[in-house]
Amino acid sequence: MTSRNCILQLIRTRMASRQAMQRLLKASGANITFEMLQIMSCLWSEQGISQQTLAMRTAKDKACLTSLMLHLERKGYVCRREDPKDRRNKLVYLTEEGEAFHQWIAPLLAAYYKRLEDILGKDKIAQTEELLKDLQHAIETY
């Protein structure tokens, strides 16, 4: 497999992953998009982070992140508060509704990832993760 084919397969895999998650979200009645889920997932592991940090961790540009934040705020899942250390920055937090959504969706997501693990096996998943990290590093140092 050439490097080009490897990158193309990576892109196809990302698209397939996004589509599968979108189907899961739709079938469960979650009423959020894959992109919104990415933001929520970041906040489940760390709250009170800046929008800039969220943008970096989710690979979203500023305009896209702003739109996603507005949608999540309208749903009542997140709120933005002024950073006491720098008033120009907004820090993002989950609301009680956002926490409740997390508790509701967590078992569905766990089942999704468990199924992938059952199909591929833990060793293959770990191997793939390491290879993807190596590929990312090679691309970033180009």
Side-chain angles (χ1 to χ4, degrees):
M1 180 189 271
T2 67
S3 296
R4 182 177 185 278
N5 287 343
C6 179
I7 297 296
L8 289 173
Q9 184 58 54
L10 179 65
I11 292 165
R12 284 191 293 270
T13 302
R14 183 196 180 281
M15 288 173 57
S17 174
R18 183 187 178 285
Q19 290 168 347
M21 190 58 71
Q22 278 291 131
R23 285 191 302 274
L24 174 88
L25 292 169
K26 186 174 184 177
S28 69
N31 200 25
I32 67 168
T33 65
F34 172 76
E35 289 76 13
M36 288 181 211
L37 182 65
Q38 286 181 295
I39 302 299
M40 298 287 288
S41 294
C42 283
L43 294 171
W44 294 334
S45 55
E46 183 182 4
Q47 291 210 40
I49 56 178
S50 70
Q51 286 186 214
Q52 185 175 351
T53 301
L54 270 174
M56 188 177 67
R57 290 186 184 165
T58 59
K60 305 283 181 232
D61 63 42
K62 193 174 178 179
C64 179
L65 185 74
T66 299
S67 174
L68 291 168
M69 292 302 301
L70 287 170
H71 282 86
L72 288 169
E73 279 181 319
R74 283 188 199 124
K75 290 184 174 299
Y77 290 161
V78 302
C79 64
R80 292 182 274 187
R81 298 184 197 136
E82 207 172 75
D83 184 346
K85 296 175 190 162
D86 183 351
R87 302 179 102 182
R88 296 170 294 173
N89 285 331
K90 298 278 189 197
L91 301 180
V92 184
Y93 296 86
L94 287 176
T95 62
E96 283 185 30
E97 292 90 347
E99 289 285 0
F101 178 81
H102 178 216
Q103 296 307 312
W104 174 77
I105 195 117
L108 298 171
L109 296 174
Y112 172 82
Y113 292 118
K114 170 97 172 68
R115 182 172 178 269
L116 291 177
E117 210 172 82
D118 290 347
I119 292 168
L120 294 172
K122 287 184 180 187
D123 289 344
K124 215 170 191 178
I125 295 275
Q127 231 178 359
T128 303
E129 183 181 359
E130 285 306 309
L131 289 170
L132 288 170
K133 285 178 183 176
D134 291 346
L135 180 61
Q136 179 185 356
H137 179 71
I139 291 169
E140 288 175 346
T141 57
Y142 178 76

